[in-house]
Amino acid sequence: MPESGQSKQGRTTHPGPASAPPVSAAVPAPRDAATAAAATPVAGSVTGPGAAARRAGLLVTLVLGGLTALPPLSMDMYLPALPAVTDSLHAPAATVQLTLTACLAGMALGQLVVGPMSDKWGRRRPLLVGMLVYVIATAMCAFAPTAELLIGFRLLQGLAGAAGIVIARAVVRDLYDGVEMARFFSTLMLVSGVAPIIAPLIGGQVLRVTDWRGIFVVLTVVGVLLTLVVVKWLDETLPVDKRHSGGVGQALRTMRGLLADRVFTGYMLTGGLAFAALFAYISASPFVVQEIYGASPQTFSLLFGLNSIGLIAVGQINGRLLVGRVSLDKALGFGLAVITLAATALLLLTSGVFGEVGLFPIAAGLFVLMSAMGLAMPNTNALALLRTPHAAGSASALIGTASFLVGAVASPLVGIAGESTAVPMAVVQVVCGVGAMLCFLLLCRPWRGKAGAAV
C-alpha cells in the first residue's frame, strides 16, 4: 500500500485478478493536487503549471463536489416538508419516513450496479445515464398523488442518483493517492457540505411560497443544471487500458475479492455504521426538533445548517491540519470515540435521566455528533480506497452500498416509538457508534501499522 501521498497521473498500475489482495504501485516523486488535476482530461482545461493547473484543480473539485452534493441536497431540502407531506398525503409519519428509506436504499443498490459499470465502460457514460434518469424520477416525485407512489419514485431517484456518488469517489481514486487523496476527500466535504447547510434553508423558504411538491421542482432544475455541467466539464478519467473487460461474473468476483480483504471490509463497515448514526439524525431530527420541541421549520433549518457547518469545519481541520501529521487511523479512532460519547449523552438526555430538558442540550449533543463525522467520513473513505487501486469503481460501490443500506435500516427504527420521544434516535446512534468502534478495532486493527494507517 502507498505510504506517502502523491497524485496518480503518470503512475502505472495494472489490475490483478479480481480476488487478488491490494497491491502497491510504483510511486513517482510527489506532485501537488493542482498539477495532478491539470493532467487529467477535463474538458476546457489546459494542461500545464501555474494558473491553468489551479483552474483545472478547482474545476475538478467543483464538479465532483456537485456530484457528491446532489444526494444530500435531494434528502435534506425535503426534510422540513416531512410533516407537511404526512398531512398532504394523509399518511402516517412512519410511512412518510419510508420515502427517505426508499431513496437511501435506491442509492445503495444503484451503486452496486454503477460501480462495476464504471470500471468496465469508464466513468463518464454511466454517470450521464444516471443523471438523466435522476432528472426524470425527481420530476415524477413532484406529481406523486399517494405516499406509495412517492416511495416508488424516490426509490428510482435514489437508484439514479447513485451514479454521482460512486463515480465521484472513483474519480478521486483515479486521480489521487495517499495523503493527497485524504486531503481531497476533506476538500470535497467542504464543497459538498454546502448542500446540507443550504438545502433545509432553501426547503424552508420554498415552503413559504408553495407546498412540498415545489421542492422536487427545484431539485429537478438542479439535476438538469448539474447534468449540463458534467457534459461540458468532466471528461473520462479511467484510461481504456485500465478498464475491466469482464461481465457480471467478473464484477462479482472483483467484489468478492474486495470483501475477502479483512481490512477493507473493516473500513467499509466502520464507515457504514457511522453513516447510519448520521442518517438516524437526518431521518428523526425533523420530528424531534419540530414536533417534540416545538421549533418552526425555519428554526429546524437553522439548527441543521449549524450542524453541517460543524461537520465541514472539522473536515477542514482534518484535511489541512491533521492529514500528514497524524495517522488517518488515529484521527478516525478519535472521531468514532466522540460520536459514541455524543450519542450516549443524547440517550441520557432524551430518556429523562437528567429530568426534563429543552431543545438546547439536545441541539448541542447533535452538533458534537455531527461535527465528529468530519473525522469519520473522509478518513474511512480514504483508508478503504487506499487498498483498492485495481478496482476503484467496485470498491466505491461497496463502500457506498454498505453506508446507504445500514442507513436505510436505521431510518424506520428511529420512529418505531412514534413521534413523542427521541429515545429511539439516540438508541440507534449509540448502537451504530459502538458497532463502528468494534469493527474498526477488531477488523482494521490499526495498531498493526499497515500501510494505510501510516499515511
Side-chain angles (χ1 to χ4, degrees), residues 33 91 149 277 280 292 320 365 428:
L149 282 176
I292 297 177
R320 297 178 181 272
V428 170

Side-chain angles (χ1 to χ4, degrees), residues 17 33 46 49 52 93 104 108 128 142 145 157 193 207 219 228 263-264 289 306 334 366 369 412 420-421 452:
V46 180
L104 205 61
L128 290 175
Q157 183 190 40
L207 290 176
L219 286 172
L228 295 176
V263 179
F264 170 81
V289 174
L306 289 174
F334 181 77
L366 291 172
L369 186 146
S420 61
T421 175

